[in-house]
Amino acid sequence: MSQNRSHAVMAQRAEPHDSLDFFPTPPWATRALCWHVLRELFGPTEDMTVWEPACGIGSMVMPLKERFRRVYSSDVHDYSHLWPGQERVDDFLMYGSESPCIEKQGVDLIVTNPPFRLGVQFARRALEAPFVHRGVALLVRTAFLESVERHRLFTEHPPAVVAQFVERVPMVKGRLSRTASTATSYAWIVWARGNTDTRLRWIPPCRKALERASDWPADEVAA
């Protein structure tokens, strides 16, 4: 029997309830957020601070460091053996898990690719945190826009922008892969304090312009 490769089937990504749901973000997708979304909403970000609370192996942290003055990184799992840049091992969903520095000084933004099944909890935690001064950006499957539970989230906390990728953003469980492909569609959902007039934007084709050889494992670049 041949495999069913329809879009509806291929776009599904089922994970066990206790899975870390660790799918590293291709760095170019974070640069796309910075160039095509955040600059329009917030202006220059070079003097801003940001927290990535599901940092994994740092694939989102590194491009954020290109555009922000200070990037904090943490994850519920210890990935420091794969990426020494991880600063803390903390459960973002536990109130009080933020570092003393973040609690005292706050951050301008939270930017992350949350576990899909915990996306609503990540959004609420970030949006309701008093130490987040300007906004929140979550990279999610476009299917995240559906469901009654998420409708409640969007009604109570209307985002400023839904930025839909027109290109696919391929992600592979547990690793970065330059050659991966996917049928799953992704978008950035961005909330900005005081901005509740949700707009739909398209992120134009930009992978070729924004990715770098240094983003990928050496064996992938050489392939």
Side-chain angles (χ1 to χ4, degrees), residues 111-205:
V111 177
T112 193
N113 174 1
F116 185 80
R117 65 185 178 84
L118 298 176
V120 171
Q121 293 95 313
F122 263 71
R124 288 192 178 278
R125 164 77 166 118
L127 291 166
E128 295 168 4
F131 53 79
V132 180
H133 301 319
R134 303 191 65 178
V136 176
L138 299 187
L139 178 62
V140 297
R141 284 182 274 171
T142 306
F144 190 83
L145 296 173
E146 303 172 340
S147 90
V148 173
E149 180 187 19
R150 295 176 201 126
H151 178 260
R152 287 195 294 267
L153 169 68
F154 298 138
T155 300
E156 295 169 10
H157 302 281
V161 172
V162 175
Q164 174 66 49
F165 280 96
V166 300
E167 296 175 287
R168 290 294 191 242
V169 182
M171 300 190 206
V172 177
K173 187 172 184 177
R175 62 187 177 88
L176 282 172
S177 175
R178 180 178 65 88
T179 58
S181 62
T182 184
T184 304
S185 171
Y186 285 89
W188 281 102
I189 300 181
V190 184
W191 290 263
R193 301 294 192 202
N195 186 338
T196 58
D197 183 18
T198 306
R199 293 169 294 162
L200 175 63
R201 292 287 185 267
W202 285 268
I203 296 177

Side-chain angles (χ1 to χ4, degrees), residues 31-52:
R31 294 190 186 105
L33 169 73
C34 295
W35 281 103
H36 295 289
V37 185
L38 297 185
R39 289 199 304 174
E40 178 183 343
L41 275 176
F42 303 108
T45 60
E46 283 77 7
D47 289 331
M48 295 171 61
T49 58
V50 60
W51 181 14
E52 214 290 47

Side-chain angles (χ1 to χ4, degrees), residues 3-14 141 183-184:
Q3 182 183 10
N4 186 342
R5 300 185 63 84
S6 71
H7 184 279
V9 171
M10 294 299 288
Q12 296 177 12
R13 194 179 82 192
R141 284 182 274 171
T184 304

